[in-house]
Amino acid sequence: MAQENWDHGWERLLWKQKSYPDNFVPKSFLSSLRQNPNFRPYTYLQLVISACAITQHLSTIIIFLDVFARLYDGALDARILIWASVLSFGVGFASASLLDLRTDHIASLTGSKAKTVKSSILVFLALMSLSPVLRTLTAATSSDSIWALSACLFVLNALLADYTALQPELHRHRRLTSVLSMNAAISSAVVLASRLPSDLAVFALLLMAIQLFALFPPLRRRLQTCPVLVQILITTALGGSSLALTLPLSTPATILITVSFIFVTFVAPGVLVWAQKYKNEIRGTWDPAVPKINNAATFS
Amino acid sequence: MRQQDTSTVFWPIDLLPCSGFCYGWDSDPICVAGIVQADTKDAAEKILSVAQNDPHWLALWDHRAKSAVVLGHCSVSDRREVIVRLGHVTLNPLNPGNGQPRTVVHYQRPKRDAMRFYSLDSRELDILYSQIVIPSTSPLYQKSVEVLEQDFTRPLLASPFDNETLNQINAAYSLANIVSRTALGNIENIGALHSSPSVQSGSRATTTDLECNGRHLRRMKLLLFAIYHLLSNLLITVEQIDVRAEQARFMYNHVPAIRSNENSSSIDSISRYIKFYNCVWLVLNDIIIGVAFGSFLCENSLLLSQLLDYYAQSYLVNSIRQGLMWLNNWPAGLKLNTELSEFYCHTFIGTISIWGHVLQNAAPYYPSILWIVGAMGCCGMTMIVSLLSDLLNILTLHIYLCYCLSTAAFSLELSLSASLWNLFRGKRYNVLRNRLDSWDYDMDQLLLGTILFVLVAFLYPTVLVYYALFAITYLAIILVQAVLDTVSALLNHFPLFALMLRVKDPMRLPGFIRARGTVQKQLV
C-alpha cells in the first residue's frame, strides 16, 4: 500500500497486522485534543463580588483584635460587650430564619431550632464556669509568645476558611468543611483571653469570639446567595466598622488594613483576570472521564 | 539375627582386648558393649541370655528396647592388634586405617555405679524442681513423640546418634559387669543382690487433697487458697515461706527413694539424687548464714533502729518535702501553672506529713521489730532478706500512694489530649475499624473541645513535672527491692551441687556429646 493510503487506513490498534509500521504518526493524530474545553472565563465584576467574602472575613478578624485591645487596656466595659454579643446573636438568628423562609425549607426548622437553643445555652454555661480557669492559664508565659501564637493561629484561620457560597438547596446537608480554621480561631481567642485582667472580660471576649468565628461564617456563606446589593452593603458595613475601630488605636495599622482590603477586593481579581490568558488546559479522549453528578433537586 | 549393613561401629575404648566373642546391640550404629571369653558361639549366647535375665539388669533396662546379641568374634594377634569379625566384615577397631568399610567411634563406657552417664543435653539435671517436667515414661510423652514422628517437614538429623544408641552406651558398662560376673559362674550372687527399687515417678501429687466431705469444707479451702495467693502477691515473706514449704515437701517425698537406692542406676534416679542433695546443701547454707546475720541484727538492734529512724525521716519524708517545695517555685526556670502546682504541692505534702507522723509514732517499736527479724534468721538468710524487703515496702507506702495518684493524673491527661487533638483536626477514632475517620462534630462539641484542648495543652508541663518526680523516686525504691530479690533468688536456687560435681567428677554431669574425628572423616 502506498504511503498516502496509510493515513486513510490508520487505526489506533497495535494488535492488528497493518501495512504501516508501528511507529507511524498520522496527520489526524491528536485531533481529539481539546484545549481549555471547560473554560469559562472570569469576569472582573464577578470576581470582585466573590472577593467580598474574603474582605468580610478579614474585617471580622480586625474587629475582634480591636475589641481585645480595648479590653486589655480597660477602655471597654465587659458588660457592654456581653450585651452586644447577645444582641448580635439574636440578630443573626433572625436573619438566618428569614433566609430559611425565603428558600422554603421550613420542615427542619423546629427540631433544629430547639437543638440550637440547647447547644447555645450549654456553651454559655460552660464558658461561664471555665472563665476563672482560663484567666490564669498563660500567666507564666511571656506576652510576646502569646502575640506570636495568636497571630499564627489567625493566619491559619484566614487561609483555611471556606469562602465559597452555600447553595440553598444543599443547606440541609451542610457540613462544616473547614473545622480546622474555626478551631484555630477559637484557640487563638482563648490564648488572647488569658491575658485579660478580670473573669468577666474573659467571658465577654470568648462569647464574642464564638459569635464572630463560629456562628458568623455559615451565615456569611448563606448571605452570598443574596442579591449583590445586600452583599456590597454588608461588606462596606463590616469593613468600615473595622477601620473605624482601628483608627483611634494606631494610624499605621489603619493604613495597612485599608491597603490590604483594597488589594484583596480590587487588585487581586484584576491580576487573576489578567493571568487567564496563560491558561492552557489540555484534555483529550485519553483522560479519565469526569462524571457529571446531577443534583437531587433536578430529578422530579 | 542377620546383621544389618551399617557403616558405624561404636567400640568401647576402655575395654581390654582379649579373644572371645564380642556382644552388643546391632541396631543402626552397631554398639559393642564388651567381649565375653567363651569357646563357642553357643556358649557365648547362653551366657548372654542368662545375664540378660538377671533381675538387676531387668530393672535397669527397658523391656521394649532391643536386647543384646552376640555380634562377632574378636581375636588378638601377636603384635597386639585386635581383629574383629562382625558378620562378613573384618575391621581393626583400635587402629582403623584408610579404606575400612566401617567407621569406628571410640567411646568411654560410663560407670553406672559411680553415677556417671551421658546425655544429649543438660535437661536431665533440671535443678529447678518447681518446674513441671513430663517424665519420658508417661503416655503423654509417648503420644507426642509419635505425633512428631509423623511430621515429614521436620529436619532430619543425619547423625548416627539417637536416644536408642545413647541408652545402649549408657548401659554398656553395667551389661559388661553382669556378663563377666555370669561368665565367672557366680550366678547365686546375682540373685542375692538387693531388691531393685521401683522407679518412683517424680514427686507425689503437688496438692495435698484433703478429703472434702462437703461443699462447706471445699468452699473454705478455696477461700483460704485465695487469701493465701493474695498474700503471697503482696508480701514477699509469704512467698518465701511458700518456697521453703515446697522444698521441705520435695525433700520429704524423696528421702525414702534416696535412702534405699544406693546403687542408683536409672537416669531419673541419678538426677533426683543430684537435686535432693543440692536442695539439702542450699538449705543448710541458708540457715548457717541466716543464724550468723540474725545474731548480728539481734545484738545491734538498738543502734540499727536509731539509724533506721534517722534515715527514714530524712530521706523518706524531708527530702521529698523539699523536692515538692522546689517544684512549686518555678524549678530550674520552668514556668509551671501556679494554681495547679499549688494544688499538687499541698496535696502531696499533706500526705507525706501524715506518714511522717506515723513513722514517728512507730519509731519506739523499731528495736523490737529488728530483733524479731534477726530471730527469724534461724529459718534462713532468705527469710531475713524477704522480711527486710517487706519492711522497705511498708515504710515507703506513702511514696507508692503519691506515685499512683500522679500516674493516674498523667495518664488521664495524655489520653484526654490525644482525643482532643483528634477533635481539633475534625477526626474521630473509629474503634470498629481501628483507624482515624473524618467526623462531623456538633458545633457545641467543637467549641468546648477546642477550649479544653488549649487548657490541657497549657497544663501539660506541670503534670509532667510532678509525675517525673514521683516516678524517679519509686524507681529507686524498686531498684533496691530488685537487689534484695536477686540475693534471695541466689540463695534459694543456686546450683552449688552441680558446680561441685563439675569440679570433682565431670563425668557425672552430662551435657552435650561431641565426637572428634581422628582419621579423615568427621562423624558428628
Side-chain angles (χ1 to χ4, degrees):
Chain A
M1 211 146 74
Q3 214 156 342
E4 303 79 38
N5 287 342
W6 282 4
D7 269 324
H8 177 68
W10 184 82
E11 269 181 309
R12 199 191 291 163
L13 297 166
L14 277 178
W15 47 266
K16 264 191 192 174
Q17 286 285 2
K18 290 283 188 181
S19 55
Y20 48 84
D22 280 342
N23 55 358
F24 172 67
V25 178
K27 285 197 227 1
S28 63
F29 195 61
L30 286 184
S31 60
S32 51
L33 179 79
R34 302 273 175 268
Q35 266 203 328
N36 294 334
N38 302 324
F39 181 55
R40 270 173 310 206
Y42 294 134
T43 51
Y44 182 69
L45 270 168
Q46 213 178 26
L47 279 179
V48 168
I49 308 291
S50 304
C52 285
I54 308 180
T55 315
Q56 288 169 6
H57 192 94
L58 288 176
S59 44
T60 54
I61 297 183
I62 304 295
I63 291 177
F64 177 77
L65 288 175
D66 288 331
V67 167
F68 168 70
R70 285 190 164 78
L71 270 180
Y72 190 66
D73 291 333
L76 180 63
D77 196 4
R79 283 176 291 228
I80 301 176
L81 191 57
I82 296 179
W83 279 116
S85 304
V86 171
L87 274 174
S88 59
F89 176 71
V91 163
F93 197 65
S95 44
S97 320
L98 272 174
L99 279 175
D100 277 339
L101 278 175
R102 245 188 44 163
T103 53
D104 296 324
H105 280 279
I106 315 173
S108 62
L109 273 182
T110 40
S112 67
K113 258 208 188 110
K115 199 160 164 286
T116 319
V117 169
K118 177 198 87 158
S119 47
S120 53
I121 291 182
L122 185 69
V123 168
F124 193 86
L125 290 175
L127 270 183
M128 208 149 54
S129 48
L130 280 176
S131 300
V133 179
L134 291 177
R135 184 172 57 93
T136 55
L137 193 61
T138 58
T141 325
S142 74
S143 293
D144 296 327
S145 331
I146 301 288
W147 308 148
L149 183 65
S150 171
C152 289
L153 286 171
F154 270 131
V155 163
L156 199 68
N157 174 44
L159 280 176
L160 293 176
D162 198 353
Y163 298 117
T164 62
L166 189 62
Q167 303 304 324
E169 307 89 46
L170 292 175
H171 111 264
R172 207 183 306 159
H173 313 283
R174 166 189 61 192
R175 285 194 57 194
L176 208 56
T177 47
S178 56
V179 172
L180 199 53
S181 92
M182 187 194 90
N183 283 341
I186 300 286
S187 320
S188 174
V190 168
V191 151
L192 282 179
S194 65
R195 293 268 119 193
L196 292 174
S198 76
D199 287 346
L200 208 59
V202 169
F203 177 62
L205 189 71
L206 283 177
L207 209 56
M208 199 187 85
I210 289 179
Q211 302 288 331
L212 281 180
F213 298 121
L215 300 179
F216 180 66
L219 182 64
R220 184 195 72 222
R221 291 178 72 197
R222 301 228 323 249
L223 283 174
Q224 279 180 285
T225 60
C226 285
V228 175
L229 196 58
V230 176
Q231 287 186 44
I232 296 179
L233 219 64
I234 295 178
T235 314
T236 45
L238 277 176
S241 47
S242 68
L243 288 174
L245 282 175
T246 322
L247 199 56
L249 288 177
S250 116
T251 322
T254 318
I255 297 176
L256 197 64
I257 292 169
T258 320
V259 164
S260 61
F261 278 171
I262 293 174
F263 180 80
V264 161
T265 317
F266 296 112
V267 176
V271 172
L272 195 58
V273 165
W274 170 79
Q276 295 250 298
K277 68 178 191 226
Y278 292 113
K279 190 176 174 72
N280 184 14
E281 186 194 354
I282 303 177
R283 290 194 72 84
T285 47
W286 53 84
D287 276 325
V290 176
K292 285 196 171 59
I293 301 177
N294 291 320
N295 287 332
T298 60
F299 282 125
S300 48
Chain B
M1 215 179 293
R2 193 187 165 282
Q3 283 182 352
Q4 302 165 6
D5 207 4
T6 58
S7 63
T8 316
V9 175
F10 279 82
W11 182 263
I13 196 94
D14 56 335
L15 185 63
L16 293 170
C18 52
S19 329
F21 287 92
C22 47
Y23 57 93
W25 293 273
D26 66 340
S27 44
D28 193 336
I30 296 182
C31 182
V32 175
I35 302 181
V36 61
Q37 281 170 325
D39 302 319
T40 59
K41 194 167 172 189
D42 290 329
E45 278 178 359
K46 199 161 80 95
I47 295 177
L48 201 60
S49 60
V50 168
Q52 296 209 63
N53 283 330
D54 178 70
H56 198 78
W57 175 249
L58 287 175
L60 172 65
W61 191 245
D62 196 3
H63 301 294
R64 287 167 295 185
K66 273 190 181 169
S67 47
V69 291
V70 172
L71 292 173
H73 181 78
C74 166
S75 57
V76 182
S77 70
D78 310 318
R79 284 169 290 152
R80 314 293 269 154
E81 267 185 16
V82 184
I83 302 189
V84 173
R85 264 195 292 278
L86 298 170
H88 50 278
V89 173
T90 312
L91 51 87
N92 184 350
L94 286 183
N95 298 324
N98 310 338
Q100 290 273 350
R102 305 295 169 88
T103 319
V104 179
V105 177
H106 294 151
Y107 74 97
Q108 176 126 3
R109 291 178 300 182
K111 292 199 180 108
R112 225 24 196 287
D113 47 0
M115 296 214 286
R116 297 174 175 183
F117 63 104
Y118 286 129
S119 161
L120 279 178
D121 56 27
S122 46
R123 250 187 304 125
E124 301 287 341
L125 286 187
D126 207 347
I127 299 294
L128 301 174
Y129 37 79
S130 50
Q131 279 179 359
I132 301 173
V133 175
I134 303 177
S136 41
T137 50
S138 77
L140 197 63
Y141 184 80
Q142 301 292 346
K143 221 183 288 186
S144 65
V145 164
E146 272 171 33
V147 166
L148 281 175
E149 276 170 10
Q150 302 297 324
D151 182 14
F152 51 86
T153 59
R154 74 181 168 149
L156 291 169
L157 299 167
S159 79
F161 244 85
D162 58 346
N163 267 342
E164 209 186 313
T165 321
L166 200 63
N167 288 342
Q168 290 163 5
I169 293 178
N170 277 337
Y173 186 76
S174 314
L175 183 62
N177 261 355
I178 295 174
V179 164
S180 58
R181 265 202 291 260
T182 322
L184 290 173
N186 289 337
I187 303 179
E188 57 272 16
N189 277 354
I190 294 172
L193 276 173
H194 51 262
S195 60
S196 54
S198 55
V199 176
Q200 301 216 358
S201 58
S203 56
R204 292 192 206 127
T206 46
T207 55
T208 56
D209 228 350
L210 307 165
E211 288 296 327
C212 299
N213 285 328
R215 290 166 56 188
H216 180 66
L217 267 174
R218 194 172 296 150
R219 223 180 282 160
M220 209 153 66
K221 192 167 78 94
L222 283 177
L223 185 66
L224 279 175
F225 267 125
I227 294 179
Y228 181 68
H229 279 299
L230 187 69
L231 275 182
S232 76
N233 281 341
L234 280 178
L235 293 175
I236 303 186
T237 317
V238 176
E239 216 175 297
Q240 177 62 29
I241 295 179
D242 192 24
V243 168
R244 270 282 181 266
E246 203 177 324
Q247 280 176 333
R249 190 165 49 210
F250 173 78
M251 287 200 278
Y252 176 69
N253 282 343
H254 283 263
V255 158
I258 298 293
R259 281 185 160 256
S260 66
N261 202 5
E262 293 298 347
N263 218 2
S264 55
S265 37
S266 72
I267 294 179
D268 212 15
S269 55
I270 291 178
S271 63
R272 257 182 290 122
Y273 174 91
I274 295 181
K275 282 184 214 169
F276 177 78
Y277 277 108
N278 189 45
C279 193
V280 167
W281 197 8
L282 277 180
V283 170
L284 283 178
N285 254 353
D286 209 5
I287 294 181
I288 291 173
I289 300 179
V291 166
F293 194 72
S295 61
F296 163 73
L297 271 185
C298 286
E299 280 171 25
N300 302 331
S301 64
L302 210 58
L303 179 67
L304 284 176
S305 69
Q306 276 174 356
L307 274 178
L308 179 68
D309 183 38
Y310 173 71
Y311 279 117
Q313 284 292 335
S314 90
Y315 277 124
L316 294 183
V317 176
N318 287 336
S319 23
I320 301 200
R321 224 196 319 234
Q322 276 171 359
L324 281 173
M325 309 245 274
W326 176 66
L327 283 184
N328 205 12
N329 294 326
W330 285 12
L334 266 180
K335 295 177 194 170
L336 305 176
N337 184 285
T338 324
E339 273 75 25
L340 191 62
S341 175
E342 289 267 339
F343 171 70
Y344 259 121
C345 192
H346 280 227
T347 315
F348 287 139
I349 284 188
T351 315
I352 292 179
S353 304
I354 292 177
W355 192 253
H357 281 306
V358 167
L359 281 185
Q360 265 181 347
N361 286 343
Y365 298 105
Y366 283 161
S368 40
I369 293 178
L370 281 181
W371 195 89
I372 291 178
V373 169
M376 294 295 274
C378 63
C379 295
M381 182 67 184
T382 48
M383 196 62 78
I384 293 186
V385 166
S386 42
L387 275 172
L388 283 179
S389 182
D390 278 336
L391 198 63
L392 181 71
N393 258 343
I394 293 178
L395 283 181
T396 58
L397 197 62
H398 62 307
I399 295 183
Y400 180 65
L401 204 65
C402 295
Y403 167 73
C404 282
L405 281 175
S406 62
T407 307
F410 186 68
S411 70
L412 206 66
E413 155 122 22
L414 272 186
S415 65
L416 192 64
S417 70
S419 98
L420 283 177
W421 171 244
N422 284 339
L423 185 141
F424 194 85
R425 291 187 300 161
K427 298 198 187 288
R428 192 177 72 155
Y429 178 66
N430 189 349
V431 187
L432 289 174
R433 296 283 186 147
N434 201 18
R435 67 179 182 199
L436 273 184
D437 286 335
S438 317
W439 178 247
D440 197 8
Y441 285 102
D442 288 337
M443 183 62 76
D444 51 348
Q445 284 175 333
L446 277 175
L447 288 172
L448 284 178
T450 311
I451 294 178
L452 277 177
F453 177 68
V454 174
L455 196 72
V456 163
F458 274 99
L459 291 181
Y460 179 74
T462 313
V463 175
L464 176 70
V465 155
Y466 278 96
Y467 167 73
L469 174 74
F470 281 109
I472 291 177
T473 315
Y474 191 58
L475 184 70
I477 294 177
I478 287 186
L479 280 177
V480 171
Q481 266 196 328
V483 165
L484 286 175
D485 263 347
T486 312
V487 166
S488 120
L490 278 179
L491 284 175
N492 263 336
H493 300 295
F494 201 68
L496 274 176
F497 200 74
L499 280 181
M500 183 216 52
L501 273 188
R502 176 82 177 90
V503 167
K504 175 187 158 215
D505 188 359
M507 287 281 284
R508 283 174 69 176
L509 208 61
F512 297 91
I513 296 188
R514 237 183 354 188
R516 214 174 22 212
T518 50
V519 203
Q520 299 134 333
K521 298 185 266 184
Q522 294 267 330
L523 186 62
V524 172

